[in-house]
Amino acid sequence: MTLGVPIVVLQYDQLPHFNVTNLKSSTQSIQVDSDSDQPFLSTRSISTYPTLPGGEKDGDPIADKLFVQVHKNRAVLAIADGCNWGKRPAMAARDAIAAFAEYFNERQNEINTLQDAGHFLLRAFCEAHNKIVEGKPDIWEAGTTTLLGGLVLEFEQQQQQPSSSSSSNKDENGEEVISNGSGSSNGNGNGNGSGSSGNQSSPKWGFLCASVGDCKAFLVSHKRKEATDVTNGNRCNLSDTRDPGGRLGPYVGQGWPDLRNLKLYFTFCEENDIALIVSDGVHDNLDPIMLGKTPDEVNIDAKGWEDLPQDDLLRAKTQFMKSLLEEMIFNNPDEKISPTDITNKIIDHCSTVTKNAREFMQEFPNKKQPNDYREYPGKMDHTTVVAYKIGSGNSSSF
């Protein structure tokens, strides 16, 4: 597979075969579950909803919960976004994050391969669902939540010797390709972890995440000045932001979770890349429709967004989101990006975009928000960002 090009799989045994380095310095790891700024990590969570006459924010309590654990050669990142407002969604998100964190705290030293990591991510999601419904006399009393959990992993380094079966280490665009000489390089899970062809070492870092619902993961490359949607296509319903595509907690059948879009996502990454995970309160404000853009304004040949087939609509939204993120993050080409810079820019963007709608609702609290995204762009929501700088250099900060 090409460096920086994600793959999507339904089962952990479809992931490429790579050995993970042993966990280093767990006793000196850091763990955060609220706003934090470090040289290699920044987390922010706000509400962009209006302030009510009594002084409270509409939609409180914030139903986004986060968890980050950073080791010298590994990081665990997670966001849960409770579905709807109120205490039950917030408790569901809290319980999901707590179970996810506890599961990985107990199993960090058992992750020996990329497939182990994928297996444990899916098991952690099972634990999260069970925790949400635990102890409820009536299972339907529990709330529901989306969940995205990711691992930044360091791989063991192996030298790949040239062989007649090795595939080219450049694609048709001249980009580096991670190939194995004995299988496909298109991300179908047949890799054996031996790295790119020639006398080159295998990739050192990988970003693996599982997602149910509509939180998103991005990879930001400082070297290529590029943002990649690792979870591209995870929101099934592109025309209705109220449908996250899946959730944990009782929702279908006899109280089962909605797993329609539960998938694993993986991409190789490089030192100093930024692993970025966000709730939909962020990426909905990177959506051209929510920003009041017409198709022709973003060079799409269609009279209206509803005229586009779903595949074309996804492609257009993804490209717009990517371009907007890159413009936001790399607006100064000479500036060295940091996790704090990224979270500040994203949070400022979401707050600014939703300003008109928020002020309207504060002035007219008993009225319905106008359905006019040109005059009142964006979507007010609970808005959470986690940005982590990848690299062993983080160990100097412990």
Side-chain angles (χ1 to χ4, degrees), residues 18-22 109-114 116-117 120 156:
F18 279 81
N19 293 327
V20 174
T21 58
N22 293 332
N109 290 312
E110 299 177 33
I111 300 176
N112 298 312
T113 68
L114 181 60
D116 288 342
F120 290 152
E156 291 183 357

Side-chain angles (χ1 to χ4, degrees), residues 194-383:
S194 57
S196 54
S197 61
N199 291 311
Q200 298 184 19
S201 60
S202 56
K204 186 176 182 181
W205 297 96
F207 181 28
L208 172 68
C209 57
S211 175
V212 63
D214 57 1
C215 292
K216 276 193 167 295
F218 296 88
L219 184 69
V220 178
S221 170
H222 186 272
K223 179 192 292 184
R224 299 190 300 275
K225 300 291 188 290
E226 182 178 73
T228 301
D229 182 358
V230 178
T231 48
N232 184 28
N234 67 324
R235 176 179 272 167
C236 307
N237 192 337
L238 296 177
S239 58
D240 186 359
T241 59
R242 295 168 298 180
D243 177 14
R247 64 185 76 191
L248 301 180
Y251 192 70
V252 297
Q254 300 176 31
W256 305 321
D258 176 3
L259 304 180
R260 282 175 294 156
N261 69 347
L262 173 62
K263 291 184 178 68
L264 289 164
Y265 302 85
F266 173 73
T267 185
F268 292 113
C269 39
E270 299 177 285
E271 198 103 356
N272 297 321
D273 284 352
I274 305 287
L276 180 68
I277 61 173
V278 302
S279 64
D280 67 328
V282 170
H283 67 79
D284 279 336
N285 289 303
L286 304 173
D287 185 307
I289 297 177
M290 304 298 291
L291 296 180
K293 303 291 185 182
T294 59
D296 64 289
E297 288 178 312
V298 294
N299 299 316
I300 301 294
D301 186 18
K303 291 183 178 179
W305 292 107
E306 66 279 1
D307 297 327
L308 288 176
Q310 286 293 292
D311 287 348
D312 291 344
L313 181 59
L314 173 60
R315 194 175 302 111
K317 285 191 170 194
T318 301
Q319 183 56 48
F320 182 88
M321 190 180 307
K322 168 186 169 67
S323 298
L324 184 54
L325 264 181
E326 291 169 354
E327 178 183 342
M328 195 185 309
I329 294 170
F330 301 112
N331 61 338
N332 182 352
D334 298 323
E335 179 184 20
K336 188 173 183 180
I337 61 171
S338 72
T340 299
D341 292 333
I342 291 175
T343 56
N344 285 343
K345 288 175 179 178
I346 289 175
I347 291 293
D348 288 349
H349 167 81
C350 294
S351 182
T352 300
V353 162
T354 55
K355 181 174 181 288
N356 285 358
R358 183 167 51 256
E359 290 182 347
F360 177 90
M361 295 308 299
Q362 287 174 172
E363 186 175 355
F364 306 105
N366 296 319
K367 289 188 176 182
K368 188 175 181 180
Q369 179 184 334
N371 187 24
D372 180 356
Y373 287 124
R374 292 192 78 85
E375 183 68 24
Y376 302 97
K379 190 190 83 169
M380 295 180 289
D381 204 346
H382 302 143
T383 304

Side-chain angles (χ1 to χ4, degrees), residues 70-115:
V70 178
H71 304 273
K72 284 189 174 183
N73 64 336
R74 188 178 301 173
V76 185
L77 319 171
I79 290 179
D81 180 358
C83 301
N84 299 316
W85 289 357
K87 293 183 179 179
R88 292 199 304 170
M91 290 177 62
R94 180 202 65 190
D95 289 343
I97 285 291
F100 182 91
E102 181 180 1
Y103 187 85
F104 272 100
N105 282 337
E106 295 174 353
R107 285 166 178 80
Q108 286 283 5
N109 290 312
E110 299 177 33
I111 300 176
N112 298 312
T113 68
L114 181 60
Q115 294 190 352

